[in-house]
């Protein structure tokens, strides 16, 4: 192999894809060890591989119960996979190299960018440190709140409460959705002191690191200006941040209202009024790649499943722990449709013109998502025809969007179907652009153009 071809294979995007795959395989090996399971026997290879894939890709789908099947060692491996998967393979490697050598290589910029981690103002070093500090801060804050609740109300021992609080906090901020209860969070569906901190962690983690960094920086500037009595800059937030914040608010609000309307006499029936709204809100937050559930989706109305599918497909913010096609992608697509309906050549969002290349990228990401989901549904319907179309569509959408919600059929799927879900989770986590770059052997440049001819559309 020549040097040029070799360098292409070892590019940042390819290394990211291979890094996630290596992490999955390492997690599979560790989770299949006998002392990782509660009964002391080796976990079947497929179950270990599925769990490792789900944890690394921050999905939350499981074929065995994490809390009862795995020992503390096995649970710790799952937690490490979630944390490393959330921070990113290349970001972890770059941060480690920076701490050991005190230097940041030029290649690090491309490595972090390939993982969807745009460089913040201040350079690569500030990007990596800010990512780590934001993660630790929010995870620690939620862990402390859960620890206090578990010890004072549920009577857990201090070590057990600390472990459960930490596990759920890390899982929530990274939008992984792994829990230590067979019913996820259904046991706590009337406890706002448990659900609300987790919902907050899910939304904050799902905003994406660029948005969080900008908000923190803006808050620090305002605080500094207030303390010094100096005027604060009134420049607007970036278009990405505005789109993400407004899109998130609209999605959470509409999802809450829709689920409340659809399930008021369904799975919300019998709950006190406050608990109904609490669970409607939590169920409006979790479809956006979170994975936790406080209700049983096996009892959900088919329309509720369809609505949840849509929210899972959209997902959360870019360059973070969320999955789906991302909020900004959906907004750009809607803006492009509106521009076409109005006969305008430019796509505008928030008094800004979106470049045509970005519009094409959004269309490509959405189209790739549709093709992936359609192929996944077809495969599962072929391998496991005993399940309904609603169940299969929900499972496939959850895997592709790395959400982790399920109607309860994951463990009952055949091995081929579970492998399809693993492929969807992997593709959904590393992103269409990274996956395409990792699989591409070379880039072909064409030195000619074909004649232009306009086909009929519609």
């Amino acid at each position: 192999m020549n040097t040029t071809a070799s360098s292409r294979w070892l590019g940042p995007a390819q290394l990211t894809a291979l890094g996630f795959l290596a992490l999955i395989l390492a997690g599979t090996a560790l989770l299949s060890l006998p002392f990782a399971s509660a009964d002391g026997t080796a976990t079947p290879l497929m179950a270990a591989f599925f769990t490792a894939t789900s944890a690394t890709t921050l999905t939350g789908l499981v074929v065995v119960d994490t809390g009862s099947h795995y020992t503390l060692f096995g649970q710790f491996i799952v937690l490490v996979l979630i944390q490393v998967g959330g921070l990113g393979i290349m970001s972890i490697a770059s941060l480690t190299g920076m701490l050991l050598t005190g230097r940041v290589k030029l290649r690090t910029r491309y490595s972090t960018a390939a993982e969807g981690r745009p460089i913040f103002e201040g350079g690569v070093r500030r990007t990596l440190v800010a990512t780590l500090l934001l993660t630790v801060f929010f995870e620690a804050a939620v862990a402390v709140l859960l620890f206090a609740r578990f010890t004072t109300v549920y009577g857990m021992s201090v070590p057990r409460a600390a472990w459960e609080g930490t596990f759920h906090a890390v899982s929530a901020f990274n939008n992984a959705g792994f829990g230590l209860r067979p019913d996820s969070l259904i046991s706590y569906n009337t406890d706002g002191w448990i659900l609300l901190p987790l919902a907050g962690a899910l939304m904050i983690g799902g905003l994406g690191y660029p948005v969080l960094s900008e908000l923190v920086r803006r808050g620090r500037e305002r605080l500094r200006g207030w303390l010094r009595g100096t005027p604060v800059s009134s420049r607007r937030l970036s278009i990405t941040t505005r789109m993400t914040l407004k899109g998130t608010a609209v999605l959470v609000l509409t999802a809450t209202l829709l689920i409340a309307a659809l399930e008021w006499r369904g799975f919300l029936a019998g709950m006190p009024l406050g608990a109904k709204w609490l669970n409607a809100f939590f169920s409006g937050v979790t479809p956006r790649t979170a994975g936790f559930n406080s209700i049983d989706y096996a009892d959900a109305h088919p329309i509720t499943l369809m609505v949840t599918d849509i929210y899972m497909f959209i997902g959360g913010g870019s360059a973070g722990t969320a999955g789906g096609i991302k909020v900004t992608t959906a907004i750009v697509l809607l803006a492009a449709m509106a521009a076409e309906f109005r006969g305008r050549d430019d796509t505008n969002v928030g008094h800004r013109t979106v470049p045509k290349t970005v519009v094409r990228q959004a269309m490509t990401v959405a189209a790739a998502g549709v093709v992936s989901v359609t192929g996944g549904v077809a495969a599962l319907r072929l391998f496991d025809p005993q399940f309904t179309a609603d169940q299969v569509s929900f499972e496939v959408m959850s895997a592709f969007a790395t959400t982790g919600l399920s109607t309860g059929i994951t463990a009952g799927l055949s091995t081929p179907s579970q492998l399809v879900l693993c492929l969807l989770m992997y593709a959904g986590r590393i992103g269409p652009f990274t996956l395409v770059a990792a699989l591409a052997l070379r880039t072909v440049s064409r030195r000619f153009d074909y004649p232009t001819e306009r086909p009929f559309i519609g």
Side-chain angles (χ1 to χ4, degrees), residues 207-245:
L207 291 176
Y209 292 106
V211 173
L212 289 177
S213 176
E214 184 175 357
L215 293 176
V216 170
R217 185 171 62 251
R218 184 63 60 86
R220 188 171 61 244
E221 290 174 356
R222 290 185 179 276
L223 179 61
R224 187 182 299 118
W226 179 76
L227 292 175
R228 295 177 179 176
T230 57
V232 181
S233 173
S234 59
R235 72 178 188 273
R236 304 179 69 184
L237 293 170
S238 68
I239 187 63
T240 297
T241 296
R242 283 184 282 143
M243 290 168 65
T244 302
L245 292 177

Side-chain angles (χ1 to χ4, degrees), residues 71 112 190 269 357:
T71 60
T112 54
T190 59
T357 54

